[in-house]
Amino acid sequence: MEVIIFYIFSALTLAAGLFILFSRNLIYGAFALFVVFLGVAALYVLAGADFLAVSQIMIYVGGILVLLIFGIMLTQKKEKSDDSTRHNRVEVPITRKIWGFLTGIGLFGLLMKVIFSSDFRMAGEEMSTKSTIKTIGVELMTSHLLPFEIAAILLLVALIGAAYLALNRNPTA
Amino acid sequence: MTTIPVQYYLVIAAALFCIGLAISITKRHFIGMLLGIELMLNAVNINLVAFGRHDPERLSGQLFALFVIVVAAAEVTVALAIILRVYGRFKTVDPDKVNELKQ
């Protein structure tokens, strides 16, 4: 049963990823990215990471994806036409398509070879089905306190930097 | 309750990473490249979570994945701010056409 759900969600994720790769309208790609994020969150749940799945949905779907869609809408092409899909279309030259597919398939083959030739010997036993929130909270406040604080400072710096960069300093342009 | 072997997760993550790499190579659009980078970060997170399943006491993999999500959020805000500035100056989002430091 669990394996069937795993297959369904991984097929959904990969299909949405391939849709981003082949779609020529970037807005459709952004909405397919939504499906990818939901599928990845489902894979997290199947791997026993419930807190991470919820934060994935909140941060990626609620924050990053909305930001990306705003970015796409603010950087449309200028020309006017009746075709509503015209503004966000991305023309891809054939040479770059070939190189992209060759790189992707080559790296995939290499990774497959590495994954199936390696023999993973796990140190601990499998996780039992209990909530991970308590462990994550305790670990964040004890042994991972320094990275936690650094992440807070990084977010503050990124916030100030992004606000400063996005300010319109020359209103004539 | 049957558990899914770790190789399944690794295969899915490798496929997702390669799709993200192909997207960020082929798309001639700054935000398209960002979409590919987000896919690659998610693939790496799947790997971390799949291996972190075998560490139920300390959950190092899940904590690392949490920090990766934080860094991805910071990265995408700064990248979008830079893209908006570049668009305001060059009026294009094609990385091939942005080839001068000063217009």
Side-chain angles (χ1 to χ4, degrees):
Chain A
M1 186 62 200
E2 208 177 332
V3 178
I4 296 170
I5 296 174
F6 178 84
Y7 280 136
I8 290 172
F9 276 112
S10 47
L12 190 72
T13 309
L14 293 185
L18 286 175
F19 180 79
I20 302 175
L21 183 56
F22 290 114
S23 79
R24 298 177 59 199
N25 192 343
L26 209 61
I27 275 282
Y28 294 164
F31 282 109
L33 197 69
F34 174 74
V35 180
V36 172
F37 288 154
L38 285 186
V40 171
L43 294 185
Y44 286 170
V45 171
L46 288 174
D50 48 355
F51 176 73
L52 211 56
V54 174
S55 43
Q56 158 100 1
I57 290 176
M58 283 176 64
I59 296 174
Y60 273 107
V61 178
I64 291 179
L65 200 56
V66 173
L67 215 58
L68 282 174
I69 290 174
F70 263 112
I72 292 170
M73 290 198 229
L74 285 174
T75 57
Q76 282 185 345
K77 287 182 192 142
K78 278 289 178 235
E79 72 248 36
K80 294 271 179 252
S81 73
D82 290 336
D83 187 6
S84 63
T85 63
R86 175 98 191 93
H87 298 287
N88 293 309
R89 186 164 294 170
V90 182
E91 268 88 19
V92 179
I94 188 70
T95 54
R96 188 183 292 217
K97 229 176 222 176
I98 291 171
W99 279 113
F101 287 140
L102 278 184
T103 316
I105 292 172
L107 185 67
F108 186 65
L110 186 71
L111 287 173
M112 282 301 104
K113 193 171 178 302
V114 171
I115 287 170
F116 285 114
S117 64
S118 57
D119 178 23
F120 297 110
R121 193 166 299 156
M122 297 302 173
E125 68 267 28
E126 198 88 357
M127 184 189 302
S128 58
T129 55
K130 70 175 174 61
S131 173
T132 60
I133 296 175
K134 185 163 184 280
T135 318
I136 285 181
V138 169
E139 287 290 319
L140 271 184
M141 277 299 146
T142 54
S143 61
H144 290 74
L145 189 58
L146 182 64
F148 185 68
E149 299 289 341
I150 291 175
I153 292 178
L154 174 75
L155 280 179
L156 180 68
V157 169
L159 183 70
I160 296 173
Y164 177 72
L165 276 175
L167 273 182
N168 195 3
R169 278 187 295 258
N170 42 353
T172 57
Chain B
M1 181 177 144
T2 58
T3 54
I4 300 156
V6 73
Q7 273 86 4
Y8 288 18
Y9 287 102
L10 296 187
V11 171
I12 298 297
L16 207 58
F17 188 90
C18 295
I19 290 172
L21 185 67
I23 287 172
S24 44
I25 289 175
T26 53
K27 287 269 188 268
R28 277 177 60 196
H29 194 292
F30 280 127
I31 296 177
M33 291 161 71
L34 267 186
L35 297 186
I37 291 171
E38 294 299 321
L39 273 190
M40 288 197 269
L41 286 166
N42 264 286
V44 172
N45 273 349
I46 291 176
N47 270 356
L48 288 171
V49 170
F51 278 110
R53 215 166 39 144
H54 294 268
D55 185 16
E57 301 300 320
R58 301 184 52 227
L59 289 177
S60 312
Q62 293 191 19
L63 285 169
F64 204 113
L66 202 59
F67 289 121
V68 170
I69 289 177
V70 171
V71 172
E75 169 249 335
V76 81
T77 49
V78 175
L80 273 175
I82 293 174
I83 289 170
L84 286 184
R85 293 296 294 173
V86 168
Y87 179 74
R89 180 175 284 269
F90 290 95
K91 297 282 177 249
T92 180
V93 280
D94 190 346
D96 291 343
K97 293 193 183 128
V98 183
N99 51 8
E100 294 170 334
L101 282 177
K102 206 170 172 188
Q103 199 177 23

